[in-house]
Amino acid sequence: MSSSTTSTSPTLSHLNQQGEANMVDVTEKAMTSRTATAQGVISMNRATFELITTGKHKKGDVFAVARIAGIQAAKKCSDLIPLCHPLMLSKVQVDFSLDEENSQVKVTSLCRLTGQTGVEMEALTAVSVACLTLFDMCKAADPAMEIGNIKVLTKEGGKSGHWQSL
């Protein structure tokens, strides 16, 4: 479920009139400040959670590596998602919050720019790759980890204004 300050069009913007894949033309769109936040969660066993939160993982600071991976992924989003525009991001932030009770790490990203198109895909890519990096660094200790609940939390800017997940 979600809420929005404006209604959204039910048409798919990445298809042309013939139904073919099409990069959206943003030439005439106004340059505005745009921000998006996203989150994802990686669940693991208690031993792995303690290993990474106490800094005792033999691969070192897995959070530092995952943070850098998430930032790099946001910058490379258009190389990964075929119809995404290459963007000049002015801010990418990746943060982690720890849920000790459930042995989970919540990964949150924020992407920002001044431009003609939104940054939701960059925020989602940052979260996804940060979670995948945590998985990669910890898979020997816990191959049963699960990544999930990846979603956009907020987006601001452009014609559609502010949108927030419920």
Side-chain angles (χ1 to χ4, degrees):
M1 287 293 174
S2 62
S3 66
S4 175
T5 56
T6 60
S7 64
T8 57
S9 171
T11 61
L12 298 175
S13 62
H14 285 79
L15 299 177
N16 65 17
Q17 291 179 342
Q18 292 77 36
E20 301 163 335
N22 179 52
M23 187 177 202
V24 175
D25 184 355
V26 298
T27 305
E28 301 302 320
K29 291 175 82 175
M31 296 280 285
T32 62
S33 176
R34 296 163 185 264
T35 303
T37 60
Q39 79 172 18
V41 175
I42 183 165
S43 304
M44 59 197 67
N45 66 39
R46 172 114 5 241
T48 302
F49 184 83
E50 290 177 13
L51 194 64
I52 66 172
T53 58
T54 60
K56 295 181 180 172
H57 194 293
K58 67 180 180 180
K59 291 186 178 181
D61 186 349
V62 298
F63 295 113
V65 175
R67 177 176 284 114
I68 295 298
I71 292 168
Q72 187 67 24
K75 294 173 13 180
K76 292 291 193 178
C77 185
S78 67
D79 291 337
L80 300 169
I81 312 293
L83 300 178
C84 283
H85 294 84
L87 301 179
M88 289 295 297
L89 296 167
S90 57
K91 172 78 172 166
V92 178
Q93 181 175 327
V94 176
D95 294 307
F96 305 96
S97 56
L98 307 176
D99 178 351
E100 188 172 347
E101 183 178 332
N102 296 303
S103 299
Q104 294 179 331
V105 177
K106 184 188 295 181
V107 181
T108 307
S109 70
L110 174 142
C111 291
R112 181 176 293 138
L113 60 62
T114 298
Q116 296 167 294
T117 188
V119 290
E120 300 93 328
M121 293 307 300
E122 288 71 16
L124 287 166
T125 301
V127 162
S128 299
V129 171
C131 284
L132 288 168
T133 301
L134 289 173
F135 189 99
D136 180 50
M137 294 189 75
C138 298
K139 68 184 182 270
D142 187 3
M145 289 177 290
E146 291 185 16
I147 297 170
N149 297 321
I150 296 173
K151 62 183 178 180
V152 174
L153 297 176
T154 64
K155 67 178 223 144
E156 296 180 42
K159 214 168 43 170
S160 63
H162 179 77
W163 179 91
Q164 183 171 337
S165 174
L166 294 177

